[in-house]
Amino acid sequence: MATKHDLDLAKMLLTSRVLDEADLRRAFEQQGQWLHEGRVAALPEVLYALGLLREGALAGVGGPGPEVTQPFPGYRIDGIVGEGGMSTVYAATQTLTGARVALKVMKPLMALRPDFAARFEEEARLLMRLQHPGIVAAYDVGEAGGYHYFAMELIGGSTVQEVIERRGHLTNAEALSITAQVAEALDYL
């Protein structure tokens, strides 16, 4: 029988998209099977046993929180650039060189899934191998203080979406230029 704590944890993992409904259903079915066999197990133990979460991953999890302290050796966080479903991107300064970089940091709840952390690191490693003016350059990848991160080129300016929202449209020449640049980058990939 699932406890209130188990249900609260399941809701948190579902709303943060760490697990989907099928994963949770499978975990609760396993928990019920174990209970039928006389084994009482809290939801985290079941999730670890099924390989859905890293062993011990839920120890001390208090929530995603967009702010981080300074766990990144060699970088100073200067502010948030943007946030997505799996990560937050910070403007940062590389302390050794003074270079400004974008530091993409996986949200702690996302790192609970070993496959998410592996995919995040693989994304960084793939990006580091690419050398093209239309693709952001990546410089460093790592894990510090429980946070998975990678450093990449910090690009200033506005996004195409921001320009369209501000002006209402692009000129034909702008649209063609952007399309050509994207096509060149895709061809390189």
Side-chain angles (χ1 to χ4, degrees):
M1 178 65 103
T3 65
K4 179 178 180 346
H5 182 321
D6 286 349
L7 295 174
D8 289 344
L9 175 61
K11 182 178 178 184
M12 178 188 73
L13 293 170
L14 186 62
T15 57
S16 62
R17 291 186 253 146
V18 172
L19 298 175
D20 61 23
E21 289 181 25
D23 292 332
L24 288 168
R25 188 175 312 109
R26 185 171 148 220
F28 281 123
E29 287 171 0
Q30 182 65 61
Q31 188 181 43
Q33 178 64 36
W34 284 354
L35 185 60
H36 180 74
E37 296 168 359
R39 177 180 176 189
V40 178
L43 184 59
E45 184 181 348
V46 178
L47 294 170
Y48 302 149
L50 294 174
L52 294 172
L53 296 181
R54 252 185 13 256
E55 183 72 36
L58 293 173
V61 171
E67 295 293 335
V68 297
T69 55
Q70 287 300 133
F72 308 105
Y75 299 96
R76 183 187 72 238
I77 302 290
D78 299 322
I80 294 177
V81 173
E83 190 166 2
M86 287 189 70
S87 59
T88 302
V89 178
Y90 298 90
T93 302
Q94 191 178 41
T95 54
L96 183 63
T97 65
R100 301 270 294 147
V101 298
L103 204 61
K104 185 173 184 176
V105 180
M106 177 180 265
K107 292 181 180 178
L109 282 174
M110 294 294 114
L112 298 178
R113 291 277 304 257
D115 54 331
F116 284 8
R119 283 191 352 224
F120 183 84
E121 288 182 13
E122 180 63 17
E123 173 190 347
R125 292 184 200 299
L126 287 171
L127 192 54
M128 289 170 74
R129 291 195 303 239
L130 301 176
Q131 302 281 322
H132 189 277
I135 300 172
V136 68
Y139 309 123
D140 185 25
V141 61
E143 185 268 331
Y147 291 95
H148 295 266
Y149 69 92
F150 70 87
M152 59 188 161
E153 182 179 9
L154 180 63
I155 306 290
S158 302
T159 66
V160 173
Q161 181 178 347
E162 290 167 344
V163 171
I164 292 171
E165 287 172 356
R166 186 174 55 246
R167 294 190 344 211
H169 68 283
L170 297 173
T171 66
N172 287 342
E174 290 170 324
L176 287 172
S177 174
I178 291 167
T179 302
Q181 291 173 54
V182 170
E184 287 174 12
L186 289 172
D187 182 55
Y188 172 80
L189 288 172

